[in-house]
Amino acid sequence: MKQMDLGDPRNVPIDVKIVQIRVGKPVILEGPRNATVLSGSSVLFRCAVSGDPEPAVSWQKNGRSLHYAGHANYRVLESGDLKLDNVGLADDGLYHCIARNVKGMDYSPQARLRVEEPAKLKGGRSVYNVSWGSSVRLECSAQGEPPPVITWFQDGEPVIIIHCSIRLYSVTDSVFRMYLF
């Protein structure tokens, strides 16, 4: 058995105990984190707090208080977390929680919620009947968040265009297809 030199401070045995102390003033132990979700999804923002007495938790979006009126798509859970259901583009923004009791308050850093909308074609025709050798203008319009990139293909090869329409002169039997990315 090896002897320890107790004169060397690196060799002094110590007893370590981990104790959870509830401080009086509110402290946010874990705040919300940035999230990116598709429209129609749900998201949960965390807000774990400590304090004595137990702090009340409230939430703000873009600097304005969120007030649950029973019909909104969000609610503050007993844990202090914020649950948003069926999110839409209007829910996109900066969120943070506030812990408050009689001894003070604490603010979490802001978390960004980015809501994305899948690409969708808007209106327009999908089939054109054109006489051989005549001209036709093919147009398309799409919406989504982030805004979709529209790519036209002719006979399986991408066609480089500047706008969302393409004008064909002297139509042949080529097939044009449009894809959203």
Side-chain angles (χ1 to χ4, degrees):
M1 178 192 242
K2 187 175 178 185
Q3 288 259 327
M4 246 199 255
D5 178 7
L6 294 180
D8 184 347
R10 294 174 296 167
N11 293 330
V12 176
I14 57 171
D15 231 357
V16 177
K17 291 182 183 177
I18 298 175
V19 179
Q20 183 177 4
I21 301 172
R22 290 188 72 144
V23 295
K25 186 177 175 186
V27 174
I28 295 176
L29 304 171
E30 182 183 357
R33 295 187 179 168
N34 294 338
T36 300
V37 298
L38 283 175
S39 180
S41 300
S42 294
V43 67
L44 181 73
F45 282 130
R46 295 267 303 133
C47 189
V49 300
S50 181
D52 190 23
E54 184 74 25
V57 175
S58 60
W59 284 84
Q60 290 187 343
K61 175 191 170 203
N62 297 331
R64 301 182 130 205
S65 294
L66 292 175
H67 297 288
Y68 180 68
H71 61 277
N73 68 330
Y74 61 85
R75 64 186 186 279
V76 178
L77 306 178
E78 277 187 43
S79 62
D81 298 346
L82 178 67
K83 176 103 185 322
L84 292 100
D85 292 312
N86 195 26
V87 298
L89 294 176
D91 296 309
D92 195 286
L94 297 170
Y95 291 79
H96 72 272
C97 63
I98 303 166
R100 179 181 289 124
N101 69 14
V102 295
K103 296 179 182 172
M105 54 183 16
D106 192 17
Y107 297 84
S108 74
Q110 291 183 329
R112 167 89 173 154
L113 175 61
R114 181 182 262 349
V115 179
E116 295 185 343
E117 189 76 37
K120 294 179 193 161
L121 287 175
K122 293 184 345 183
R125 295 174 21 191
S126 59
V127 176
Y128 292 81
N129 292 317
V130 182
S131 300
W132 184 278
S134 64
S135 67
V136 65
R137 182 181 178 103
L138 304 177
E139 294 184 359
C140 73
S141 175
Q143 65 185 29
E145 185 59 41
V149 174
I150 298 171
T151 304
W152 288 91
F153 287 82
Q154 179 182 10
D155 299 327
E157 295 296 320
V159 177
I160 298 174
I161 60 171
I162 304 299
H163 304 287
C164 286
S165 65
I166 188 167
R167 186 163 195 85
L168 306 175
Y169 298 96
S170 192
V171 174
T172 64
D173 59 355
S174 291
V175 175
F176 280 83
R177 299 191 192 286
M178 177 196 47
Y179 295 92
L180 298 177
F181 295 100

